[in-house]
Amino acid sequence: MEPRQLAGVAERKLRHAVIPTLPVDFDARYDRCIPDDITCTPGPLRANTTVLRRSLSGEDRSALRARAAEATDGEVTFLDRTIRVEGPDGVGWHDEAVYGPPALWALKFHGFEFLRGAYLGHDDPTDCPAATETFPRWIADWQADAGTNIGTEAYLRRAWTPHSVSFRLLNAARYYAWLGADERYPDLAERLHRLLYRNASFLSNHVEHDIGGNHLIENGIALVVAGLLVDDAGDPWVDAGVEVLTDAADQFLADGGHFELSPMYHALTLTRYLTALDLLQRYGRTPPPEIRDAAERGTAFLRAIAPPDGRLPLLNDSVHGESLSLRACLRYASAVGVDPGPSTTTAMEDSGYYWLGRGDDSLLVDAGGIGPPHLPAHSHNDQFSVLLWVDGRSVLTDTGTYEYAPTDRRQRTRSVAAHNTVQYGDVEPIDIAGSYLMGRRFDPTVRYGVVDGVTAFDGAYRRAGGSDAYAHRRRIYADDDWWLVWDRVAADEARPIRSRLHVDPDVAVDGAVSTGAAGLGFRTDDDADPLAYLYPLEAAETTVGTSPYFPSFLTEVERPSVTLRSSGADVSFGFLLSKRPYETVALERDGDDPRVLSLDGTDRSLPDRLS
């Protein structure tokens, strides 16, 4: 960890242990700092919220409206888990169900994420009873609840977790602006004025330098939004938020990817920079060049990594439904004046992503290392994992993320077995522990290029660690309608070697357990020809089974999987993926180096040297 992180951890622990024991009413102290007269300028924020809403798909907005309607019955859904939160005695902010796993549920609930269904689902507040009847009651209930006071026991892990405070500020500010509270609901407006002031004051004192990463960006945008909305008194928050976002802009790597290497967190953090850029301009301020640059490079990266089906690839800790969709995020970027145009990029070297093939038939290689040394929290053991799309359809997928608690499912999603790559014995390439920890890591080496019309990728790494030490090299070659993947694993001790391929749940695998070079088909329709074919090469055994897929938090889906097996201390084998069937598939090699691929007797030379 970095020195600033360590200092932040120490400060947080000290506050958490000492503050609740002191005979001081910290909640009242914050209240006494709130001015009697607070005025706001909601117009620019309302306009930005309209732009954000119009960037969503009709399906997304319909789902948001359904969530808002649920609230009128006292129910809230996050992370695919619905809880009845309101009863005759009010809202159960501290009910056991709220604080049950996953912990992210309570963070969202106290972050007022339920407001999003109203201001993003509906153009007009009068069309949303929850917005004008239910939510004002809930906000009043939250403010009156003694358990939500600053300084109560465990306050920094519950209602006043700075990450949750950031969400609360963003959602309350957008809700206030969208509602037109000053003109339509003056009593609610006054309540929201005080809530915004207290929360922004608290957050400015509790920026999450101890965690860093995407948390810092959430803190920064929350301070910017609240500061711009609240006239005059909000200027220090704007300055503090802009400073945080300016400093955090280097989280976006040279190729534009966010350094935590999760497409979901990339979309989340990029959305915040796009919002900061647009709002600073709308409120008549000049955005720092670092904020504009992060927004532009981040948008270019998102366009570059966009697969044929237009959905976020679920690499590392990623799920659908927690961020803007890939397409919505790009529409939002364009609407606020950031549009890099179509991407021709195939190599995102800093993030470690490489395309072999582009258009409807594409294979994506994840060759990046673990996230930043001080922040491996959202990284997986996915070294040289591949994803495949054919005819615009997903065929081979990553696994997604079930939860962040340290459970068996969490460990599985982070493990090498959950990814489309090779495993030596039962060894993890990098040791994993807890929910977010990772052990000694390495930097893969990669060469990539096009030689004589064949796109080639050559990646390698070496794992240290006594008897568990080994080296893995993966070479991939691609032509118009096929991809050859060739692996070598070398170690001191002979062990089983497995190469796994996890298939999209909407795709079936044709073929019984097979050996040798017999092919398997990937079929999306029982009556149609297979979408793609798999030909194992020099594997001792190939089996078809199933594996879990986690497309959204707390959601598990069964899907087909294929495992190629061999065994030894120095083993080479691989497979061909193709769009068309072949009677014969053969590989000629020089030692371990593939030289010629023969398909139905037609030879194709393979590059033997890459720069």
mmCIF file with all atom_site columns, all heavy atoms in Angstrom, residues 230-245:
data_model
loop_
_atom_site.group_PDB
_atom_site.id
_atom_site.type_symbol
_atom_site.label_atom_id
_atom_site.label_alt_id
_atom_site.label_comp_id
_atom_site.label_asym_id
_atom_site.label_entity_id
_atom_site.label_seq_id
_atom_site.pdbx_PDB_ins_code
_atom_site.Cartn_x
_atom_site.Cartn_y
_atom_site.Cartn_z
_atom_site.occupancy
_atom_site.B_iso_or_equiv
_atom_site.pdbx_formal_charge
_atom_site.auth_seq_id
_atom_site.auth_comp_id
_atom_site.auth_asym_id
_atom_site.auth_atom_id
_atom_site.pdbx_PDB_model_num
ATOM 1   N N   . VAL A 1 230 ? -25.090 23.992 -4.770  1.00 0.00 ? 230 VAL A N   1
ATOM 2   C CA  . VAL A 1 230 ? -25.296 24.902 -3.644  1.00 0.00 ? 230 VAL A CA  1
ATOM 3   C C   . VAL A 1 230 ? -24.538 26.203 -3.916  1.00 0.00 ? 230 VAL A C   1
ATOM 4   O O   . VAL A 1 230 ? -23.318 26.214 -4.046  1.00 0.00 ? 230 VAL A O   1
ATOM 5   C CB  . VAL A 1 230 ? -24.818 24.261 -2.330  1.00 0.00 ? 230 VAL A CB  1
ATOM 6   C CG1 . VAL A 1 230 ? -24.965 25.247 -1.171  1.00 0.00 ? 230 VAL A CG1 1
ATOM 7   C CG2 . VAL A 1 230 ? -25.612 22.990 -2.047  1.00 0.00 ? 230 VAL A CG2 1
ATOM 8   N N   . ASP A 1 231 ? -25.244 27.292 -3.980  1.00 0.00 ? 231 ASP A N   1
ATOM 9   C CA  . ASP A 1 231 ? -24.639 28.580 -4.332  1.00 0.00 ? 231 ASP A CA  1
ATOM 10  C C   . ASP A 1 231 ? -23.630 29.030 -3.280  1.00 0.00 ? 231 ASP A C   1
ATOM 11  O O   . ASP A 1 231 ? -23.862 28.895 -2.067  1.00 0.00 ? 231 ASP A O   1
ATOM 12  C CB  . ASP A 1 231 ? -25.725 29.649 -4.459  1.00 0.00 ? 231 ASP A CB  1
ATOM 13  C CG  . ASP A 1 231 ? -26.689 29.367 -5.604  1.00 0.00 ? 231 ASP A CG  1
ATOM 14  O OD1 . ASP A 1 231 ? -26.289 28.652 -6.538  1.00 0.00 ? 231 ASP A OD1 1
ATOM 15  O OD2 . ASP A 1 231 ? -27.839 29.857 -5.541  1.00 0.00 ? 231 ASP A OD2 1
ATOM 16  N N   . ASP A 1 232 ? -22.543 29.627 -3.741  1.00 0.00 ? 232 ASP A N   1
ATOM 17  C CA  . ASP A 1 232 ? -21.540 30.294 -2.903  1.00 0.00 ? 232 ASP A CA  1
ATOM 18  C C   . ASP A 1 232 ? -20.923 29.367 -1.851  1.00 0.00 ? 232 ASP A C   1
ATOM 19  O O   . ASP A 1 232 ? -19.733 29.098 -1.875  1.00 0.00 ? 232 ASP A O   1
ATOM 20  C CB  . ASP A 1 232 ? -22.130 31.529 -2.225  1.00 0.00 ? 232 ASP A CB  1
ATOM 21  C CG  . ASP A 1 232 ? -22.604 32.557 -3.252  1.00 0.00 ? 232 ASP A CG  1
ATOM 22  O OD1 . ASP A 1 232 ? -21.991 32.617 -4.340  1.00 0.00 ? 232 ASP A OD1 1
ATOM 23  O OD2 . ASP A 1 232 ? -23.587 33.256 -2.981  1.00 0.00 ? 232 ASP A OD2 1
ATOM 24  N N   . ALA A 1 233 ? -21.741 28.891 -0.918  1.00 0.00 ? 233 ALA A N   1
ATOM 25  C CA  . ALA A 1 233 ? -21.214 28.054 0.163   1.00 0.00 ? 233 ALA A CA  1
ATOM 26  C C   . ALA A 1 233 ? -20.585 26.773 -0.377  1.00 0.00 ? 233 ALA A C   1
ATOM 27  O O   . ALA A 1 233 ? -19.758 26.155 0.289   1.00 0.00 ? 233 ALA A O   1
ATOM 28  C CB  . ALA A 1 233 ? -22.330 27.706 1.151   1.00 0.00 ? 233 ALA A CB  1
ATOM 29  N N   . GLY A 1 234 ? -20.975 26.375 -1.598  1.00 0.00 ? 234 GLY A N   1
ATOM 30  C CA  . GLY A 1 234 ? -20.463 25.132 -2.164  1.00 0.00 ? 234 GLY A CA  1
ATOM 31  C C   . GLY A 1 234 ? -19.112 25.255 -2.846  1.00 0.00 ? 234 GLY A C   1
ATOM 32  O O   . GLY A 1 234 ? -18.527 24.247 -3.245  1.00 0.00 ? 234 GLY A O   1
ATOM 33  N N   . ASP A 1 235 ? -18.595 26.474 -2.983  1.00 0.00 ? 235 ASP A N   1
ATOM 34  C CA  . ASP A 1 235 ? -17.325 26.651 -3.710  1.00 0.00 ? 235 ASP A CA  1
ATOM 35  C C   . ASP A 1 235 ? -16.173 25.823 -3.145  1.00 0.00 ? 235 ASP A C   1
ATOM 36  O O   . ASP A 1 235 ? -15.405 25.225 -3.913  1.00 0.00 ? 235 ASP A O   1
ATOM 37  C CB  . ASP A 1 235 ? -16.941 28.133 -3.742  1.00 0.00 ? 235 ASP A CB  1
ATOM 38  C CG  . ASP A 1 235 ? -17.803 28.938 -4.716  1.00 0.00 ? 235 ASP A CG  1
ATOM 39  O OD1 . ASP A 1 235 ? -18.509 28.307 -5.526  1.00 0.00 ? 235 ASP A OD1 1
ATOM 40  O OD2 . ASP A 1 235 ? -17.778 30.175 -4.656  1.00 0.00 ? 235 ASP A OD2 1
ATOM 41  N N   . PRO A 1 236 ? -15.990 25.748 -1.825  1.00 0.00 ? 236 PRO A N   1
ATOM 42  C CA  . PRO A 1 236 ? -14.889 24.916 -1.308  1.00 0.00 ? 236 PRO A CA  1
ATOM 43  C C   . PRO A 1 236 ? -15.049 23.437 -1.675  1.00 0.00 ? 236 PRO A C   1
ATOM 44  O O   . PRO A 1 236 ? -14.049 22.746 -1.868  1.00 0.00 ? 236 PRO A O   1
ATOM 45  C CB  . PRO A 1 236 ? -14.963 25.126 0.209   1.00 0.00 ? 236 PRO A CB  1
ATOM 46  C CG  . PRO A 1 236 ? -15.661 26.433 0.383   1.00 0.00 ? 236 PRO A CG  1
ATOM 47  C CD  . PRO A 1 236 ? -16.648 26.503 -0.740  1.00 0.00 ? 236 PRO A CD  1
ATOM 48  N N   . TRP A 1 237 ? -16.297 22.966 -1.766  1.00 0.00 ? 237 TRP A N   1
ATOM 49  C CA  . TRP A 1 237 ? -16.506 21.570 -2.151  1.00 0.00 ? 237 TRP A CA  1
ATOM 50  C C   . TRP A 1 237 ? -16.144 21.361 -3.618  1.00 0.00 ? 237 TRP A C   1
ATOM 51  O O   . TRP A 1 237 ? -15.566 20.333 -3.969  1.00 0.00 ? 237 TRP A O   1
ATOM 52  C CB  . TRP A 1 237 ? -17.955 21.161 -1.908  1.00 0.00 ? 237 TRP A CB  1
ATOM 53  C CG  . TRP A 1 237 ? -18.435 21.398 -0.513  1.00 0.00 ? 237 TRP A CG  1
ATOM 54  C CD1 . TRP A 1 237 ? -17.676 21.384 0.625   1.00 0.00 ? 237 TRP A CD1 1
ATOM 55  C CD2 . TRP A 1 237 ? -19.772 21.709 -0.112  1.00 0.00 ? 237 TRP A CD2 1
ATOM 56  N NE1 . TRP A 1 237 ? -18.462 21.650 1.718   1.00 0.00 ? 237 TRP A NE1 1
ATOM 57  C CE2 . TRP A 1 237 ? -19.758 21.852 1.308   1.00 0.00 ? 237 TRP A CE2 1
ATOM 58  C CE3 . TRP A 1 237 ? -20.980 21.864 -0.781  1.00 0.00 ? 237 TRP A CE3 1
ATOM 59  C CZ2 . TRP A 1 237 ? -20.906 22.152 2.026   1.00 0.00 ? 237 TRP A CZ2 1
ATOM 60  C CZ3 . TRP A 1 237 ? -22.123 22.154 -0.073  1.00 0.00 ? 237 TRP A CZ3 1
ATOM 61  C CH2 . TRP A 1 237 ? -22.088 22.307 1.326   1.00 0.00 ? 237 TRP A CH2 1
ATOM 62  N N   . VAL A 1 238 ? -16.503 22.337 -4.460  1.00 0.00 ? 238 VAL A N   1
ATOM 63  C CA  . VAL A 1 238 ? -16.119 22.232 -5.868  1.00 0.00 ? 238 VAL A CA  1
ATOM 64  C C   . VAL A 1 238 ? -14.604 22.156 -5.986  1.00 0.00 ? 238 VAL A C   1
ATOM 65  O O   . VAL A 1 238 ? -14.059 21.301 -6.689  1.00 0.00 ? 238 VAL A O   1
ATOM 66  C CB  . VAL A 1 238 ? -16.654 23.426 -6.684  1.00 0.00 ? 238 VAL A CB  1
ATOM 67  C CG1 . VAL A 1 238 ? -16.170 23.319 -8.137  1.00 0.00 ? 238 VAL A CG1 1
ATOM 68  C CG2 . VAL A 1 238 ? -18.179 23.477 -6.652  1.00 0.00 ? 238 VAL A CG2 1
ATOM 69  N N   . ASP A 1 239 ? -13.933 23.050 -5.281  1.00 0.00 ? 239 ASP A N   1
ATOM 70  C CA  . ASP A 1 239 ? -12.471 23.056 -5.353  1.00 0.00 ? 239 ASP A CA  1
ATOM 71  C C   . ASP A 1 239 ? -11.891 21.732 -4.874  1.00 0.00 ? 239 ASP A C   1
ATOM 72  O O   . ASP A 1 239 ? -10.965 21.189 -5.491  1.00 0.00 ? 239 ASP A O   1
ATOM 73  C CB  . ASP A 1 239 ? -11.909 24.204 -4.501  1.00 0.00 ? 239 ASP A CB  1
ATOM 74  C CG  . ASP A 1 239 ? -12.275 25.577 -5.054  1.00 0.00 ? 239 ASP A CG  1
ATOM 75  O OD1 . ASP A 1 239 ? -12.631 25.655 -6.251  1.00 0.00 ? 239 ASP A OD1 1
ATOM 76  O OD2 . ASP A 1 239 ? -12.211 26.562 -4.293  1.00 0.00 ? 239 ASP A OD2 1
ATOM 77  N N   . ALA A 1 240 ? -12.435 21.207 -3.771  1.00 0.00 ? 240 ALA A N   1
ATOM 78  C CA  . ALA A 1 240 ? -11.933 19.944 -3.231  1.00 0.00 ? 240 ALA A CA  1
ATOM 79  C C   . ALA A 1 240 ? -12.222 18.792 -4.196  1.00 0.00 ? 240 ALA A C   1
ATOM 80  O O   . ALA A 1 240 ? -11.358 17.937 -4.437  1.00 0.00 ? 240 ALA A O   1
ATOM 81  C CB  . ALA A 1 240 ? -12.563 19.659 -1.875  1.00 0.00 ? 240 ALA A CB  1
ATOM 82  N N   . GLY A 1 241 ? -13.425 18.769 -4.762  1.00 0.00 ? 241 GLY A N   1
ATOM 83  C CA  . GLY A 1 241 ? -13.787 17.698 -5.686  1.00 0.00 ? 241 GLY A CA  1
ATOM 84  C C   . GLY A 1 241 ? -12.980 17.744 -6.964  1.00 0.00 ? 241 GLY A C   1
ATOM 85  O O   . GLY A 1 241 ? -12.534 16.699 -7.474  1.00 0.00 ? 241 GLY A O   1
ATOM 86  N N   . VAL A 1 242 ? -12.762 18.948 -7.498  1.00 0.00 ? 242 VAL A N   1
ATOM 87  C CA  . VAL A 1 242 ? -11.959 19.090 -8.711  1.00 0.00 ? 242 VAL A CA  1
ATOM 88  C C   . VAL A 1 242 ? -10.524 18.638 -8.446  1.00 0.00 ? 242 VAL A C   1
ATOM 89  O O   . VAL A 1 242 ? -9.901  17.966 -9.284  1.00 0.00 ? 242 VAL A O   1
ATOM 90  C CB  . VAL A 1 242 ? -11.993 20.546 -9.216  1.00 0.00 ? 242 VAL A CB  1
ATOM 91  C CG1 . VAL A 1 242 ? -10.901 20.786 -10.250 1.00 0.00 ? 242 VAL A CG1 1
ATOM 92  C CG2 . VAL A 1 242 ? -13.362 20.855 -9.815  1.00 0.00 ? 242 VAL A CG2 1
ATOM 93  N N   . GLU A 1 243 ? -10.007 18.974 -7.265  1.00 0.00 ? 243 GLU A N   1
ATOM 94  C CA  . GLU A 1 243 ? -8.642  18.540 -6.930  1.00 0.00 ? 243 GLU A CA  1
ATOM 95  C C   . GLU A 1 243 ? -8.556  17.017 -6.872  1.00 0.00 ? 243 GLU A C   1
ATOM 96  O O   . GLU A 1 243 ? -7.601  16.416 -7.381  1.00 0.00 ? 243 GLU A O   1
ATOM 97  C CB  . GLU A 1 243 ? -8.218  19.138 -5.591  1.00 0.00 ? 243 GLU A CB  1
ATOM 98  C CG  . GLU A 1 243 ? -6.789  18.757 -5.196  1.00 0.00 ? 243 GLU A CG  1
ATOM 99  C CD  . GLU A 1 243 ? -6.362  19.370 -3.883  1.00 0.00 ? 243 GLU A CD  1
ATOM 100 O OE1 . GLU A 1 243 ? -7.151  20.109 -3.268  1.00 0.00 ? 243 GLU A OE1 1
ATOM 101 O OE2 . GLU A 1 243 ? -5.220  19.090 -3.468  1.00 0.00 ? 243 GLU A OE2 1
ATOM 102 N N   . VAL A 1 244 ? -9.565  16.371 -6.266  1.00 0.00 ? 244 VAL A N   1
ATOM 103 C CA  . VAL A 1 244 ? -9.573  14.908 -6.198  1.00 0.00 ? 244 VAL A CA  1
ATOM 104 C C   . VAL A 1 244 ? -9.623  14.309 -7.603  1.00 0.00 ? 244 VAL A C   1
ATOM 105 O O   . VAL A 1 244 ? -8.864  13.389 -7.939  1.00 0.00 ? 244 VAL A O   1
ATOM 106 C CB  . VAL A 1 244 ? -10.755 14.407 -5.347  1.00 0.00 ? 244 VAL A CB  1
ATOM 107 C CG1 . VAL A 1 244 ? -10.925 12.893 -5.499  1.00 0.00 ? 244 VAL A CG1 1
ATOM 108 C CG2 . VAL A 1 244 ? -10.552 14.753 -3.881  1.00 0.00 ? 244 VAL A CG2 1
ATOM 109 N N   . LEU A 1 245 ? -10.525 14.816 -8.440  1.00 0.00 ? 245 LEU A N   1
ATOM 110 C CA  . LEU A 1 245 ? -10.662 14.276 -9.797  1.00 0.00 ? 245 LEU A CA  1
ATOM 111 C C   . LEU A 1 245 ? -9.423  14.553 -10.639 1.00 0.00 ? 245 LEU A C   1
ATOM 112 O O   . LEU A 1 245 ? -9.023  13.718 -11.463 1.00 0.00 ? 245 LEU A O   1
ATOM 113 C CB  . LEU A 1 245 ? -11.899 14.866 -10.471 1.00 0.00 ? 245 LEU A CB  1
ATOM 114 C CG  . LEU A 1 245 ? -13.252 14.437 -9.895  1.00 0.00 ? 245 LEU A CG  1
ATOM 115 C CD1 . LEU A 1 245 ? -14.386 15.153 -10.611 1.00 0.00 ? 245 LEU A CD1 1
ATOM 116 C CD2 . LEU A 1 245 ? -13.444 12.929 -9.994  1.00 0.00 ? 245 LEU A CD2 1
#
